[in-house]
């Protein structure tokens, strides 16, 4: 599933970037070499980051979707 249509970025790529250490939407975009174009994906990226923080606070990692 595409999370960022402007850059053809998938959910799996976002989750991988977060699992590799991205802590902000800016860092996710940096890791994926994806510029902020329309910004429609901002809320979705923040939701994935928030989910990862909750999982990490419980000692878990989010699943990587291929
Ligand atoms: S959908 Fe991500 S910048 Fe447009």
């Amino acid at each position: 599933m595409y999370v960022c249509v402007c850059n053809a970025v998938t959910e799996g790529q976002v989750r991988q970037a977060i699992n590799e250490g991205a802590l902000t939407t800016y860092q996710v975009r940096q890791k994926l070499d994806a510029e902020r174009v329309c910004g429609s994906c901002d809320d979705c990226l923040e939701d994935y980051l928030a989910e990862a923080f909750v999982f990490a606070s419980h000692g878990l990692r989010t699943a990587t979707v291929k």
Side-chain angles (χ1 to χ4, degrees), residues 13-24:
Q13 290 172 299
V14 171
R15 290 187 186 277
Q16 184 172 351
I18 294 169
N19 283 338
E20 291 175 358
L23 298 173
T24 64

Side-chain angles (χ1 to χ4, degrees), residues 1-64:
M1 175 180 89
Y2 284 109
V3 170
C4 177
V5 176
C6 296
N7 292 287
V9 169
T10 66
E11 175 185 352
Q13 290 172 299
V14 171
R15 290 187 186 277
Q16 184 172 351
I18 294 169
N19 283 338
E20 291 175 358
L23 298 173
T24 64
T25 57
Y26 177 78
Q27 290 176 350
V28 169
R29 288 193 171 99
Q30 269 192 319
K31 282 187 171 290
L32 299 174
D33 196 27
E35 292 186 25
R36 186 178 187 275
V37 182
C38 73
S40 294
C41 56
D42 287 354
D43 289 345
C44 193
L45 295 178
E46 289 172 6
D47 286 347
Y48 284 121
L49 285 162
E51 177 189 272
F53 292 146
V54 169
F55 272 62
S57 71
H58 291 88
L60 304 170
R61 293 178 62 135
T62 57
T64 299

